[in-house]
Structures are given as C-alpha cells and as structure tokens.
Amino acid sequence: MSGEFLPVTMEECRERGIEQPDFVYVCGDAYVDHSSFGAAIICRLLESRGYSVGMIAQPDWKDPESIQVFGEPRLGFLISAGNMDSMVNHYTVSKKHRQKDAYSPGGEMGHRPDRAVIVYGNLIRRTYKKTPIILGGIEASLRRMGHYDYWSDQVKRSVLLDSGADMISYGMGEHSIVEIADALASGLDVKDITFIRGTVYRCKSVEHIPEPLYLPSFEEIKEKKEQYARSFGIQHQNTDPYQAKVLIEDYGNQGYVVQNPPAYPLTEQEMDDVYHLPFMRTYHPMYEKKGGIPAIEEIRFSLTSNRGCFGGCNFCALTFHQGRIVQVRSHESLLEEAVEMTKDPDFKGYIHDVGGPTADFRQPACKKQLTKGACTNRQCLFPTPCKNLIADHSDYLALLRKLRKIPKVKKVFIRSGIRFDYVLEDTKSRFLQELADYHVSGQLRVAPEHVADKVLEKMGKPSHKVYLEFLKQYYACCKKSGKEQYAVPYFMSSHPGCGLKEAVELAEYIRDMGFMPEQVQDFYPTPSTISTCMYYTGLDPRTMEKVYVPVNPHEKNMQRALIQYRRPENRKLVEEALVRAGRQDLIGFGPKCLIRPYDGRRTQKAENLKTQNGHIGNNGKNGRGNQNQQSNGRQQKQHMGKKKTIRNVHKKR
C-alpha cells in the first residue's frame, strides 16, 4: 500500500491481485493523494482496514462507460463532488461561470457536472440497479435534507432522493464510512443499515425510531418560508453529537429521509492515525501533461493541525459539516509531517500554514464539550465570549516553537486565519507578540467582515470595537518587534441585515483606513448556513425575527461599489447609493468625501485619463503610464509618487 497511488484502472487492480475492488470511489475532483483532500482520506482509511478501493476521478458524466472502469464493486460505490460544492466551484455569486477550476488538470473548467453527486448517482444507478451507493463530501453533507438552492432560487429535496443513492455519510466521515463498510461486508442489506451515526438514509416507515424529532414536511418548507426557517432552526440545534436527536423529514408518498445524530469527534490518537496514512502527498502522474493540479500548491507545504470551529460565523457551514467541537493532532504527528516536508526537493524552508478552519483553536472551547457537547442555546464567542471559555494559546505556541527549530525550516507562517476576539481573551500568553515576531509574512489577513454592529450581529461576529482593540494591540506588538507589518481586513457586502446605510458606514471606515481593499466578497448563499436561511426567508431561524435582506442585484452592486468607491467604473453606482442613503454630504471636495461632484464630459474625461494612466500602468514602474516621459527631472520626481499600496499608505500616515 505504501509508495503507490490508488488504482485508477482495472489493470492496476489486477497487478495488486484484486479481481473485483470492494469499493469504487467516484470523485468530481482530479485525483490528488493528499490529506487535504477528503477523497484521499476516505480511500486510504478504507485501505488501512483491509478494503480495496478503485478511484474514478472526474468521469465523463455523458458516457455511462466512464463509471464502468472497474465493473461492479463488491460492496458499493462511494460518490463525492470533491473538496467544493460543484455549484460554488462553477459559478460566482452573480451566477456567472468561473474561468478556472483549481481542482482540475491545468486549472481547466468543464471536468465535472453541475450538481455532481446527483449526476454521478443517476449515472451509476442506470447501469448498476441494486449496487449500494453512498454519497459523501461537502456537497452531499450540506444538502442532506431539504435545502434552499441559490442557483435555481428554489427549495430542493435531499440529494439522497434526487441522486438515487442509498445513504449519505455526512460530516468528515471517518467513523461512519468504516462502520458502513463493515456492515456491508458482514452481509447486511444497505436498506437495513439505519443505525450508524453521521448517516442519512431513506425509508418507508419510521416506526422503528424511538423519540425522533419531526421536521416540517418537505411540502411545508417548500410552500412556506416560515416553515423553512423553523426546520432549519431545529437542524441547527441538532448538530452536536452529544445532544442531537434523530431528525425525520416527510416526503409524502416517497417516504421519509432520516438523519441520525452526527458522529462523535475524533480523538487525538484517531486524528494522528488518519494523517499518518500513506499519502503520496501529490497529484497522480497522469495529470503532468496538462500541468498538474493547481490546488496542490496551496497546501503542499502546509500542516492541518485541527478540525471543527466554535467561532460560529453565521455565513459558514462548518457547524453543519465539521461541527463546533475542536479536534487536534498531537505535536509529534505534526512534527513528523513537517520533517517529511523538508525532504521535498521543492521545499524552500517555508511552512505556509499551521492551522485549520481557525488556526489558533487547539482545544475545545470549554471542559464540558468533550463529554456533554456544545451548547445548543448559545455560542462560545458571540455576542460576547462565554464565561466558561478557555482562551489559551500555550499549546499552539509550544507547537510553533518546536516547528521553528526543525532543521531546514526558515519560517513558519499562519495563513488560515486567527479569531481576533479569542486572541484578546487570552491575556496570559505571548501569542500575539510571537505572532508578530515570527509568523506574519508582512501582512496579517484578518476577517472583521464589516464595521456596522447591526450587520455584525447577523453575521455572528464580534462588535467593531473588538476589532479596533485587536488592531491596537497587534500594531503595538509589531512596533515592539521592530517590524513593518500590517493587518489586511476582509470585508463582505450584501450580507443579510446590511442596508445602504450600513454599506456607507463601511465605506467611510475604508476611507479612513487610507487604502482600498483589493478583495471584496459579496455574500454567497451556500447551502446549510444561518445566513443563507436569512437570505431566503427574511427571518432569523433562531428567533424568527424579520431581517432586512439585500436581494436586488442593483442594490448588491451598489454595496460592493461602495467598498471600492475609488474605482472610476464604480462612480455612478457610488453616487446613486449615497443619494439613496441620504448621504450627499459625502459627495464633494472635502477630505471626508468619497467622490467628487459629477461635472459632465469634463469629469468623465478626467476619470478616463486617470484610469488609463493611473491604473493600467503599462509604462514605468510607478503605474502612471507615460504621462511624465516629457517632464524634466524635477517635474518627474514631483509626479512619480509611490503606488498606493497598504505599505506606502501606512508609511505616509
């Protein structure tokens, strides 16, 4: 098993003495044998338990023969859309086709279908009528019950029904997939496997289930948004493995979809075992001709140290997929992987990241979570940190110090994000100072998301004053370390609860920062998040209170334009937004104004000239084109100002 990729042809199976694989894994991603890819983890885990697995990566969904590479597997087909939901992979928030797919050969688009698990499931079922089919991965996990689908603007059924599959293994899946495999190997019919945590199945009768919770029926959530919000609220309260109940969704004459409670979190030893599996740590050689798989570059020299997140951001689906209980790997496991990393000929001395969903979470939020679970009626950090929260970076600091001492390691960076309110709660350790001293590559990326407390409340994020206090302490640490480093914030537009008034408030903050964010994320209503439920229903599923939602595309464009108000192409949208918000005071020549008054053709000509000379920058390193080529030396020095970057703005200030 060690030193080999999974078989991708029947010939490779026979070379290993396998005439019929136990499982065939069908995946929407190209085959990358790395622990950051769910398909690799599940397949290697099954191999370690004695099961043989054949890999079919990105089959041609228009050709039934593409999933017949290995014939019929002995125990079943496993299906995943890949590391991303296929619709998010294919479309931007404005529903336009993306141009690149980092999980496909050479970054090419078009190697997987829309709604991949449904398409693959039906493709297999047409040929193999009775072979068990188990869905897994992020797409199936977040669409396991009736759900709002942003791309069709409809409430859709569980993918279990539309795919023709028998079961869903939701969440990370290590526990459930082994139990499913053992049950099938013992001779149990897939229809009788109804007892495994972390699974969803379909049935005609629910009399065998003791004390379940009945969700509103599919017809009810499809017809009434209030019922959809109520159903989602019940599901959200049942994501903890220690407290969750069995959930039942009624589909009328098509029977029931039943969700068992989530699987228990992995222990530290189990996490170590998973990441110690014999991964090849790269993509299959068959992709070399097309330039490989771009996604590997992001994680090739990074370490996954934890799973789960108790941050509780409402726009994040982690609660439904990985859960709120943090699970970690041991220092020994991470150090061993880091040492192996240094042996790679392409390793330049830099570990790019040590983290997970939130890098600095290295333990459960409080002592009771590993025995009683996470609270169903409150968050650990929002609206303020819980009094039982254990904010302690000592273990993470000890790990980072050990990694820095490994021979050939020059720098260890943290790029997967830190939770700044959690950092502020830890008043005992030197984490923030050591972060500034050793682990920032010039710019620390943080995610305040917004500045208006009204919006932050709907996001599940701390108030703006908490972020300002973090910046104060962070810059003090940078000054003490003698390093010129900055914080680069991520902001989100058009989140539920955000109107033009709040969007203008964010634009004013950006004005005062002195630089314009290069990256802006419009809120993307992906399946199984509280924010998506708000977007569709206009209701907060936790309180059933009404929420303002910017759904009009034109308003969404205005909100986005306000964040990047300096761009000439955004000027008309910014002006319209300011007028609608009653903030004409921000149109003028004063130092606090966002835009100048519009002066017909003359102003438009000036803006066009500014775009041509100041932004295209096709001549000269200063980004001002050729406007100074005829100037004398003194004029040239006067006009050749530095490009407005975050570094130069901070220097000037």
Side-chain angles (χ1 to χ4, degrees):
M1 180 168 62
S2 179
E4 292 181 311
F5 285 91
L6 295 166
V8 296
T9 66
M10 197 60 216
E11 289 72 21
E12 290 179 1
C13 274
R14 293 194 180 102
E15 288 173 4
R16 302 183 189 193
I18 302 169
E19 290 299 323
Q20 182 187 28
D22 296 316
F23 292 98
V24 171
Y25 197 112
V26 179
C27 188
D29 286 343
Y31 174 30
V32 182
D33 198 44
H34 191 283
S35 58
S36 292
F37 288 71
I41 286 181
I42 295 301
C43 292
R44 290 299 188 186
L45 183 61
L46 286 171
E47 266 197 332
S48 73
R49 301 303 175 90
Y51 297 102
S52 57
V53 186
M55 171 64 73
I56 302 179
Q58 299 186 320
D60 181 356
W61 67 94
K62 300 170 186 176
D63 180 7
E65 291 187 4
S66 66
I67 49 86
Q68 299 175 35
V69 173
F70 300 97
E72 183 179 19
R74 185 175 72 89
L75 297 177
F77 281 96
L78 309 176
I79 299 176
S80 168
N83 271 16
M84 290 179 68
D85 183 287
S86 59
M87 300 302 285
V88 177
N89 178 277
H90 284 172
Y91 300 98
T92 67
V93 66
S94 57
K95 301 181 182 179
K96 295 179 180 178
H97 278 278
R98 298 189 194 274
Q99 300 303 310
K100 296 288 185 180
D101 179 358
Y103 296 93
S104 291
E108 292 178 349
M109 258 299 171
H111 288 270
R112 81 185 82 211
D114 287 355
R115 312 185 194 284
V117 294
I118 293 176
V119 174
Y120 292 153
N122 283 294
L123 183 68
I124 292 168
R125 186 57 77 205
R126 284 197 294 270
T127 302
Y128 302 103
K129 304 296 184 184
K130 296 182 180 181
T131 309
I133 298 176
I134 295 93
L135 307 182
I138 191 77
E139 181 167 296
S141 185
L142 300 185
R143 297 168 181 267
R144 58 188 185 255
M145 308 298 275
H147 57 279
Y148 171 69
D149 181 81
Y150 169 68
W151 301 272
S152 62
D153 194 25
Q154 294 177 349
V155 174
K156 288 189 170 292
R157 307 190 304 174
S158 164
V159 291
L160 192 60
L161 300 178
D162 289 334
S163 65
D166 298 288
M167 298 179 70
I168 297 173
S169 168
Y170 72 87
M172 297 304 286
E174 286 98 344
H175 281 159
S176 57
I177 198 63
V178 172
E179 291 185 53
I180 291 169
D182 290 346
L184 290 171
S186 72
L188 274 179
D189 189 288
V190 68
K191 292 182 175 57
D192 295 327
I193 305 175
T194 61
F195 50 86
I196 296 175
R197 282 178 166 269
T199 62
V200 176
Y201 63 93
R202 55 195 298 187
C203 59
K204 290 294 184 182
S205 172
V206 291
E207 294 179 357
H208 64 286
I209 302 172
E211 300 181 357
L213 277 179
Y214 283 87
L215 301 173
S217 70
F218 177 73
E219 286 302 316
E220 288 177 309
I221 66 172
K222 189 177 180 181
E223 295 297 325
K224 297 180 180 179
K225 292 183 177 181
E226 294 83 358
Q227 290 290 74
Y228 182 93
R230 178 171 167 264
S231 176
F232 187 88
I234 295 171
Q235 292 177 57
H236 188 264
Q237 289 182 334
N238 284 271
T239 55
D240 180 80
Y242 295 94
Q243 303 182 61
K245 302 286 187 181
V246 175
L247 303 182
I248 296 176
E249 193 168 60
D250 187 352
Y251 283 85
N253 58 12
Q254 295 186 49
Y256 303 90
V257 170
V258 181
Q259 175 183 303
N260 285 323
Y264 289 116
L266 270 62
T267 64
E268 184 179 271
Q269 183 61 58
E270 288 173 329
M271 283 279 283
D272 287 354
D273 290 344
V274 165
Y275 286 89
H276 188 66
L277 292 168
F279 302 104
M280 299 298 289
R281 296 189 57 81
T282 188
Y283 52 79
H284 195 281
M286 62 184 168
Y287 303 121
E288 284 290 358
K289 291 182 180 179
K290 289 194 173 183
I293 309 301
I296 192 67
E297 297 307 318
E298 290 295 319
I299 46 83
R300 188 176 180 185
F301 299 120
S302 296
L303 297 169
T304 301
S305 68
N306 62 61
R307 280 188 193 170
C309 182
F310 52 79
C313 299
N314 292 339
F315 47 81
C316 178
L318 272 168
T319 296
F320 269 70
H321 189 61
Q322 290 192 5
R324 291 170 56 193
I325 299 176
V326 172
Q327 304 144 70
V328 300
R329 294 168 63 186
S330 70
H331 289 198
E332 292 73 21
S333 172
L334 289 158
L335 292 168
E336 181 181 347
E337 184 176 352
V339 170
E340 285 300 311
M341 202 180 286
T342 64
K343 298 176 183 178
D344 190 310
D346 294 326
F347 182 71
K348 306 301 182 184
Y350 301 99
I351 295 178
H352 297 159
D353 190 25
V354 184
T358 302
D360 55 328
F361 288 176
R362 277 284 298 172
Q363 61 192 7
C366 65
K367 292 181 179 179
K368 80 174 189 67
Q369 282 194 351
L370 284 178
T371 56
K372 297 181 180 178
C375 299
T376 59
N377 58 350
R378 71 154 295 156
Q379 295 290 332
C380 303
L381 286 166
F382 177 82
T384 57
C386 175
K387 63 180 181 180
N388 295 318
L389 177 73
I390 303 172
D392 184 2
H393 289 84
S394 58
D395 180 71
Y396 192 37
L397 273 175
L399 171 63
L400 294 171
R401 289 166 183 166
K402 292 174 184 176
L403 289 168
R404 295 201 302 261
K405 292 180 180 179
I406 295 175
K408 298 184 181 180
V409 171
K410 299 176 183 177
K411 284 281 188 179
V412 179
F413 295 120
I414 300 172
R415 293 181 177 173
S416 56
I418 60 171
R419 185 73 186 223
F420 55 83
D421 49 349
Y422 183 73
V423 172
L424 293 181
E425 284 297 300
D426 181 7
T427 58
K428 297 179 182 178
S429 77
R430 294 187 71 257
F431 174 70
L432 193 53
Q433 187 60 59
E434 291 203 22
L435 177 72
D437 289 345
Y438 302 108
H439 304 294
V440 178
S441 57
Q443 298 177 353
L444 175 69
R445 300 189 181 275
V446 285
E449 305 294 357
H450 215 278
V451 300
D453 285 347
K454 178 182 175 182
V455 182
L456 291 168
E457 189 272 329
K458 296 305 176 188
M459 290 178 163
K461 299 287 285 187
S463 66
H464 184 48
K465 66 180 181 181
V466 177
Y467 175 63
L468 294 178
E469 176 60 27
F470 171 79
L471 289 182
K472 178 182 175 182
Q473 294 191 24
Y474 169 68
Y475 282 121
C477 290
C478 290
K479 184 177 180 180
K480 188 175 180 180
S481 70
K483 294 189 175 183
E484 190 177 334
Q485 298 177 149
Y486 310 105
V488 180
Y490 283 117
F491 292 119
M492 183 184 296
S493 63
S494 305
H495 188 276
C498 185
L500 286 176
K501 176 185 175 183
E502 291 75 27
V504 172
E505 187 178 341
L506 176 56
E508 289 184 282
Y509 178 77
I510 291 169
R511 172 202 64 201
D512 296 339
M513 284 197 314
F515 69 94
M516 185 176 67
E518 294 182 3
Q519 292 181 320
V520 178
Q521 175 63 57
D522 286 345
F523 167 64
Y524 203 153
T526 54
S528 295
T529 72
I530 292 176
S531 298
T532 297
C533 182
M534 292 182 193
Y535 174 88
Y536 170 61
T537 65
L539 299 169
D540 187 327
R542 299 161 298 181
T543 63
M544 298 303 286
E545 294 176 352
K546 289 186 177 180
V547 180
Y548 174 75
V549 181
V551 294
N552 183 282
H554 189 62
E555 181 184 349
K556 289 166 72 71
N557 288 337
M558 285 192 288
Q559 289 203 22
R560 182 184 179 91
L562 279 165
I563 295 178
Q564 297 177 318
Y565 66 88
R566 286 194 181 97
R567 291 187 174 181
E569 65 269 25
N570 289 339
R571 193 205 173 283
K572 288 185 178 180
L573 282 170
V574 172
E575 181 180 29
E576 181 182 352
L578 293 175
V579 171
R580 285 196 186 187
R583 294 300 309 273
Q584 291 93 325
D585 59 300
L586 297 176
I587 305 173
F589 296 96
K592 295 294 185 181
C593 292
L594 299 183
I595 56 173
R596 302 289 182 257
Y598 187 70
D599 188 23
R601 289 180 298 174
R602 182 179 176 184
T603 303
Q604 186 62 49
K605 183 177 179 181
E607 288 184 350
N608 290 340
L609 186 62
K610 182 179 178 183
T611 302
Q612 187 176 26
N613 291 334
H615 293 274
I616 296 176
N618 55 358
N619 277 306
K621 294 182 180 179
N622 63 337
R624 294 181 181 269
N626 58 6
Q627 68 180 24
N628 296 317
Q629 286 184 0
Q630 304 302 321
S631 301
N632 61 29
R634 180 178 298 177
Q635 290 173 321
Q636 195 169 16
K637 288 182 180 179
Q638 180 179 353
H639 288 288
M640 289 181 65
K642 287 187 176 180
K643 183 179 178 182
K644 182 171 277 189
T645 65
I646 181 172
R647 188 176 298 273
N648 291 330
V649 167
H650 278 277
K651 274 186 177 181
K652 186 176 180 181
R653 295 178 70 187

